[in-house]
Amino acid sequence: MGADELSATLWRERGRLDFLLFLLETQLLHLHAGHWHRLNFTASELEKVLENLRFESLARGVEASALAAEWKAPDQLTLPSLVRIAPPGVWAGLLGEHREAMISLVESIDEAIDANVSALADGPVVDVPGADELALVTREANIQRALAAVHAAALPSLRDFLGLP
């Protein structure tokens, strides 16, 4: 284990964050287009990528702890702390670049979360003519599921690791 393993883990996590952003943007497009019936699918995909991100978060924690031990530092350091204690060479710069890219993704995800929450809170623009009670209950359940998935996309443990408030 070492800096190269942490870097590889951060690359994978960045890819998943980019995919999360894509899914949030896709869901927002469906909401703006009035395709509320697609919420079941978009929420399901968001849940899957969030589950994958939880595993990436665990892997990141293991790799970061191993690297901290290798660098004779306390366990559970944030990425900015690892950058500060990196030995001379390439690692401080590379880990710093990962941090900056991930911060940019988190900021974009935050914007997409806010836009999704706003669109979901506004509810369907057009009521479904002739919709029975089951259809209305299903639509409301899909909205609540989508809201839960969107809120889960805030990723507090990643924010902590990146040294964000």
Side-chain angles (χ1 to χ4, degrees):
M1 298 209 185
D4 51 341
E5 285 85 2
L6 176 60
S7 181
T9 299
L10 294 175
W11 273 114
R12 281 192 309 274
E13 191 168 16
R14 285 170 60 178
R16 294 201 194 278
L17 290 170
D18 196 32
F19 188 54
L20 173 63
L21 178 59
F22 167 78
L23 291 174
L24 288 166
E25 291 170 342
T26 300
Q27 178 168 278
L28 190 59
L29 290 172
H30 281 294
L31 293 172
H32 287 310
H35 300 157
W36 290 80
H37 59 285
R38 298 286 184 222
L39 283 180
N40 189 38
F41 300 117
T42 59
S44 176
E45 290 303 310
L46 282 170
E47 290 164 351
K48 288 176 192 173
V49 77
L50 288 168
E51 184 66 25
N52 288 331
L53 276 165
R54 280 190 273 284
F55 286 114
E56 290 297 334
S57 177
L58 291 171
R60 175 184 14 95
V62 168
E63 299 298 344
S65 292
L67 182 58
E70 182 181 315
W71 288 351
K72 310 284 190 265
D75 194 15
Q76 308 237 340
L77 290 179
T78 63
L79 190 52
S81 298
L82 287 169
V83 169
R84 279 192 300 277
I85 67 164
V90 69
W91 292 116
L94 185 58
L95 294 176
E97 288 174 17
H98 277 302
R99 181 175 183 264
E100 293 305 313
M102 292 174 90
I103 287 172
S104 178
L105 282 166
V106 166
E107 289 170 348
S108 295
I109 288 167
D110 287 346
E111 290 171 9
I113 287 170
D114 291 343
N116 269 270
V117 168
S118 178
L120 287 163
D122 289 343
V125 177
V126 178
D127 211 8
V128 180
D132 60 12
E133 190 173 334
L134 179 59
L136 296 174
V137 168
T138 301
R139 182 178 64 192
E140 183 58 30
N142 287 338
I143 290 170
Q144 294 307 313
R145 180 181 182 192
L147 272 171
V150 167
H151 285 299
L155 306 169
S157 67
L158 176 60
R159 299 177 85 80
D160 291 343
F161 181 69
L162 295 174
L164 296 174

